[in-house]
Amino acid sequence: MPAGSFEGQYVWSPAADDRALAQACVDVRAGRYFSAHEVLRETRRDFELRAHRSLVLASEAAGSDLAERWLDEEPGPEAALIWARVAMLRALRMADAGDRRAGALERIARTACERAAKLAPEDPTPWVAQLALARLDRPRDPSPQGLLTSPTGPWYLLAHILRLDPWHREAHHRFLSFFFARYGGSSSASWDVAAFLSQRAPASSPLRLLPLVALLEDYNPEAPLAARAWEQPQWISAATGVHRNWFPTVAAYRFTPVVDLAYLGHALFMAKLEFEAREVLTAMGPYASRMPWSAFGDPEEQLTKARRACGLPVPNTL
């Protein structure tokens, strides 16, 4: 189904309109990895797509032994990468659940990431997986100059990743999440880091959305007028800047960047800029992501509320 169309129901698959990835996910759920290998092999020079596809595939494989079988039967860069991603997800999930096995799974994940990095030294994705694990051991590298709060964190690891790919989307989002209060950081640090990273990025980069991600993370529905925060001048300026400079580039994307569009559409809707929000939500077509809508309640209900306010069709409710 092409982005920009809407036939009455949302599509919540993280594969969105990447049909090859969607088929690979079906195969992974059936215990087959050949198509997963193919969709990753073709991304060896497209690090953004490689990061996205490997994470989606790993999410499908994490509950089975497919990654282990693949690595045993046909070892190679793609098998090692999926194993690293699966091990990363398992370690984070166990840690978040307070499971006593989290420490052992973290060690397994770090070893898997190191193996994947050795097999593909130019690929930042294994290092991004390591960056995701950083919130478990909380490294305290000094921050560069220019940050008001001087927050310590995995700055050296981020610097290594950025030498491989200066504007890597997932790396920036993983790094920002390290400073979220729920992971041991603070609101002031996360806002500081989001502003620092976004200001480094080109005006046409989706990384300019990072301050809006930090704003959403800090949202407290019990605070007075919390939902009015997006109407403040600095957040309107951030959202309209991304709409003006990045949104026009989306038409040239190989696949619809659903999550980034969702954050932008949500921010514009919350700022009561319905005309701009309508453009963004239309570009998403039927594809949907849980975030940022789930921060306000049931994601389908919240997305439907936004679409209806913008005069767009909503799912059939029979």
Side-chain angles (χ1 to χ4, degrees):
M1 187 182 299
S5 66
F6 188 81
E7 296 182 1
Q9 297 297 330
Y10 299 131
V11 178
W12 295 93
S13 168
D17 51 351
D18 185 343
R19 294 185 179 181
L21 176 58
Q23 183 57 55
C25 288
V26 172
D27 290 346
V28 165
R29 289 193 290 271
R32 300 185 296 266
Y33 56 75
F34 176 76
S35 59
H37 175 270
E38 291 302 298
V39 298
L40 287 179
R41 185 174 60 84
E42 72 167 347
T43 66
R44 289 184 180 180
R45 298 296 176 186
D46 187 340
F47 298 138
E48 288 294 331
L49 187 56
R50 189 170 180 82
H52 173 66
R53 283 181 168 179
S54 63
L55 185 59
V56 173
L57 290 167
S59 298
E60 297 289 352
S64 71
D65 68 346
L66 180 136
E68 291 90 335
R69 277 196 299 109
W70 184 359
L71 192 63
D72 181 59
E73 294 170 4
E74 295 188 29
E78 283 65 48
L81 178 59
I82 287 297
W83 169 232
R85 292 292 233 172
V86 164
M88 173 204 83
L89 289 174
R90 289 173 180 169
L92 293 176
R93 289 170 182 174
M94 287 296 103
D96 290 344
D99 194 291
R100 59 184 179 81
R101 296 168 292 177
L105 290 175
E106 179 186 352
R107 291 189 291 274
I108 291 171
R110 292 190 184 281
T111 300
C113 291
E114 292 168 4
R115 176 174 180 169
K118 287 179 180 177
L119 288 175
E122 74 290 348
D123 182 8
T125 320
W127 297 101
V128 174
Q130 291 248 36
L131 186 58
L133 295 167
R135 65 178 171 86
L136 303 183
D137 63 350
R138 308 295 302 174
R140 300 181 63 83
D141 309 333
S143 67
Q145 293 183 351
L147 286 98
L148 295 175
T149 59
S150 300
T152 59
W155 290 98
Y156 298 155
L157 180 53
L158 178 67
H160 177 73
I161 294 169
L162 299 188
R163 284 193 290 271
L164 297 172
D165 186 357
W167 312 117
H168 196 281
R169 181 194 180 281
E170 186 184 342
H172 283 79
H173 281 263
R174 293 287 187 185
F175 187 76
L176 175 59
S177 70
F178 175 91
F179 297 95
F180 288 169
R182 58 182 157 134
Y183 296 140
S186 67
S187 296
S188 59
S190 65
W191 285 30
D192 197 10
V193 169
F196 177 79
L197 295 179
S198 68
Q199 289 164 8
R200 288 180 64 254
S204 59
S205 170
L207 296 177
R208 292 289 182 128
L209 284 163
L210 289 172
L212 296 171
V213 174
L215 175 63
L216 185 77
E217 175 66 23
D218 205 40
Y219 171 72
N220 177 6
E222 297 181 0
L225 303 177
R228 301 290 296 274
W230 281 263
E231 298 176 41
Q232 295 179 12
Q234 72 263 38
W235 304 121
I236 291 178
S237 177
T240 55
V242 176
H243 179 264
R244 180 174 61 254
N245 296 305
W246 171 70
F247 179 63
T249 73
V250 169
Y253 275 49
R254 185 177 173 187
F255 303 110
T256 306
V258 177
V259 176
D260 287 334
L261 286 172
Y263 269 97
L264 176 57
H266 170 266
L268 292 168
F269 165 67
M270 295 294 289
K272 300 190 183 307
L273 299 172
E274 285 87 359
F275 178 80
E276 292 84 353
R278 177 189 175 94
E279 291 184 322
V280 175
L281 296 174
T282 298
M284 290 173 62
Y287 303 107
S289 61
R290 288 186 53 80
M291 290 295 289
W293 314 105
S294 61
F296 294 81
D298 178 80
E300 181 165 357
E301 291 178 1
Q302 295 300 316
L303 176 54
T304 296
K305 176 183 176 182
R307 288 183 63 91
R308 184 176 287 118
C310 294
L312 292 172
V314 298
N316 300 322
T317 55
L318 298 178

